[in-house]
Amino acid sequence: MNIRSLHRRPAVRYGLVVAGCALIVIGLDLFTNLMDRSRYLWDFVVYFDMAENGLVGNPNLWAPFVYRFLTPLLAGNLAALLSVSTETGFVILNYVGGIWQLVMVYVLAEHFSRRAWHAWTAVAAIALSLYQIKYMFWDVARPDPLAYPLMAIAVLALFHKRYGMCVAVSCIGLLTREFLIVPPIVLELLLLQDYWRTRSRATLRWMVFTFVLVSLFVIVPRALIPIYDTGQYVDPVNDPGSLKNLLRAPLSERRDFNFAFNLISYFLPVLLLLTPDRARRAWADLAGYRWFLLFFIVPVLVLTMYGGTDLSRFVTYLFIPLVMMLVVMLRHGIPAVEVLYMLVAVAIYNKIFLPIPDLLDPILDFYGGYDNRVNVVTLMRLYEVAAFMVGAVLLRGLLVLAARRNSNMAPEQAEQGA
């Protein structure tokens, strides 16, 4: 039995996928330093406190972090079960979540292309995003490592019309990150379209069921868990004064600039490969997913705008459309050297092999795009994007010239042979 036939077996194939994703996550961890937590009082203080002291009778609970209790409680229980530090408990979850996330990216990519290297390219592009995995090994207490794979599972369930699974996974995910409200929103809008056409009672029942169950998972934790204070960017219940951010955020030119900057930065893998012809073909290939993309992207952008200061972390929840766009472009025969250039450029731009600094200003400028902070570093980051884009265009030009030269040489060689 040769390796190729062995690879066709699902158990073997996905075993190799898990192993490959594990190696990628281990490699990223090796290139990542650990935050010096003694320097700051950030979100991780609340997450560590929840992991060590739980929710019941805890007087130090802050909104919205307390509503993402699933990850810290799991980390705390893991630490107690294995007799390790709370920090180690979070690191274990980061490994589980990181590997699981990349495996689900592979599965999502397979939904759009059966070629393994297309799926691995998508995995590599996501893995090389600073905040997707690397950052989580620096600031280990973030809840996102479990939220990403749950988002991918919910979307895949939606694609396969397994609505119950989509809703159930999203509800669990809401206990890790608010962005898991997006798959139910997409589901409701798609069901609404279907109901408008068919007036099906079954569709109406699914709409009501989804709305009620998801609402419970949003409302009940906020109603039952007492909080000490709120750090939520827009919190009409606990901080009515924060409602001014509904207008302040989109009307801030600097925040809007960073909003656009982060979108460009995150979609760099697609932008480096994009041409007008590839865009047209990808748009045609995604004909059956255009409403999904609209219904998915808009809520993520809204949550990004009003989620708080870390815009560059929030846009990472667009990894679903990023994978979709990347894979459908790859289906039309992009040269391997272009793909390699893209991955190298993304790794360099995201500073994957550099340590994350431990001073506040360098941290905020390490990636750029924080809240309304625009400075020389931000502009330099945009110059980097422009330079990589120019490099991609020049590379495509060289490939065209090489192809023409080869095509011109072929008749001459034929004549000489004759």
Side-chain angles (χ1 to χ4, degrees):
M1 182 179 294
N2 59 36
I3 294 177
R4 182 172 294 180
S5 63
L6 191 65
H7 188 263
R8 290 195 187 102
R9 295 186 175 185
V12 174
R13 180 157 56 90
Y14 285 111
L16 293 173
V17 169
V18 172
C21 292
L23 289 175
I24 292 172
V25 172
I26 291 169
L28 290 168
D29 185 23
L30 291 175
F31 281 101
T32 306
N33 53 313
L34 191 63
M35 177 202 287
D36 181 358
R37 288 189 285 115
S38 65
R39 292 175 178 264
Y40 316 104
L41 290 174
W42 285 354
D43 310 0
F44 65 80
V45 174
V46 183
Y47 294 130
F48 268 90
D49 183 76
M50 279 193 285
E52 293 170 352
N53 300 311
L55 298 179
V56 179
N58 188 335
N60 303 314
L61 303 177
W62 279 64
F65 318 112
V66 65
Y67 309 129
R68 308 163 186 164
F69 58 80
L70 184 60
T71 303
L73 293 188
L74 284 174
N77 281 286
L78 266 176
L81 180 66
L82 301 176
S83 299
V84 295
S85 68
T86 305
E87 186 171 80
T88 301
F90 277 112
V91 170
I92 293 171
L93 281 187
N94 284 339
Y95 266 99
V96 172
I99 296 168
W100 188 13
Q101 174 192 172
L102 295 185
V103 170
M104 293 314 303
V105 166
Y106 187 97
V107 176
L108 177 65
E110 273 194 325
H111 186 79
F112 295 91
S113 174
R114 287 295 178 181
R115 301 194 67 176
W117 81 269
H118 293 169
W120 280 114
T121 300
V123 168
I126 294 300
L128 294 174
S129 170
L130 172 66
Y131 287 99
Q132 221 89 35
I133 292 178
K134 179 181 173 75
Y135 187 86
M136 304 305 165
F137 283 114
W138 180 71
D139 187 357
V140 297
R142 295 288 173 183
D144 307 86
L146 297 184
Y148 292 129
L150 290 172
M151 175 76 88
I153 293 172
V155 167
L156 283 165
L158 181 58
F159 286 167
H160 291 284
K161 298 188 183 300
R162 300 188 62 177
Y163 300 149
M165 177 182 289
C166 175
V167 174
V169 171
S170 298
C171 287
I172 295 170
L174 282 168
L175 306 181
T176 64
R177 257 298 188 181
E178 295 82 354
F179 282 88
L180 267 293
I181 193 72
V182 174
I185 290 175
V186 176
L187 175 58
E188 287 282 61
L189 291 172
L190 292 175
L191 289 173
L192 180 60
Q193 281 186 327
D194 183 63
Y195 181 74
W196 187 264
R197 291 191 304 267
T198 65
R199 294 296 193 270
S200 166
R201 290 186 178 181
T203 300
L204 184 60
R205 284 195 294 269
W206 269 114
M207 292 175 63
V208 173
F209 170 78
T210 300
F211 179 80
V212 171
L213 189 62
V214 172
S215 297
L216 286 174
F217 273 79
V218 172
I219 295 170
V220 170
R222 287 157 179 78
L224 295 184
I225 301 176
I227 63 167
Y228 169 74
D229 206 343
T230 180
Q232 196 165 307
Y233 197 71
V234 177
D235 189 345
V237 176
N238 301 302
D239 182 15
S242 66
L243 286 172
K244 63 180 179 290
N245 288 329
L246 288 173
L247 290 177
R248 177 183 292 176
L251 293 179
S252 167
E253 292 180 356
R254 287 174 172 264
R255 186 175 176 86
D256 291 341
F257 181 91
N258 280 337
F259 188 86
F261 163 78
N262 281 300
L263 288 174
I264 292 169
S265 296
Y266 188 65
F267 277 89
L268 188 60
V270 168
L271 295 175
L272 290 175
L273 299 177
L274 195 64
T275 66
D277 181 61
R278 290 170 185 171
R280 283 192 295 270
R281 292 185 178 190
W283 183 246
D285 286 352
L286 291 170
Y289 294 91
R290 291 174 190 172
W291 282 114
F292 165 83
L293 287 170
L294 176 66
F295 295 157
F296 187 95
I297 290 172
V298 170
V300 173
L301 294 181
V302 171
L303 289 171
T304 298
M305 176 60 73
Y306 294 113
T309 54
D310 294 342
L311 300 175
S312 47
R313 286 195 302 109
F314 303 151
V315 298
T316 59
Y317 283 90
L318 291 169
F319 76 98
I320 300 289
L322 173 58
V323 169
M324 293 170 62
M325 295 174 191
L326 184 60
V327 172
V328 294
M329 283 201 304
L330 290 172
R331 290 196 321 205
H332 293 288
I334 297 178
V337 66
E338 274 196 71
V339 175
L340 181 61
Y341 172 84
M342 177 272 289
L343 293 176
V344 171
V346 169
I348 293 172
Y349 181 75
N350 286 311
K351 305 180 182 181
I352 291 298
F353 304 110
L354 297 179
I356 298 175
D358 264 331
L359 296 175
L360 182 58
D361 285 345
I363 289 172
L364 299 182
D365 292 330
F366 187 71
Y367 190 87
Y370 178 83
D371 194 20
N372 58 1
R373 181 184 177 91
V374 178
N375 53 23
V376 174
V377 176
T378 316
L379 299 179
M380 291 303 296
R381 295 287 281 162
L382 282 175
Y383 286 135
E384 284 184 63
V385 171
F388 284 127
M389 294 287 289
V390 170
V393 172
L394 292 175
L395 176 60
R396 280 193 287 273
L398 290 173
L399 291 174
V400 170
L401 290 175
R404 288 177 180 174
R405 182 181 177 187
N406 290 336
S407 63
N408 291 334
M409 289 178 62
E412 294 177 6
Q413 292 173 348
E415 288 177 6
Q416 291 174 1

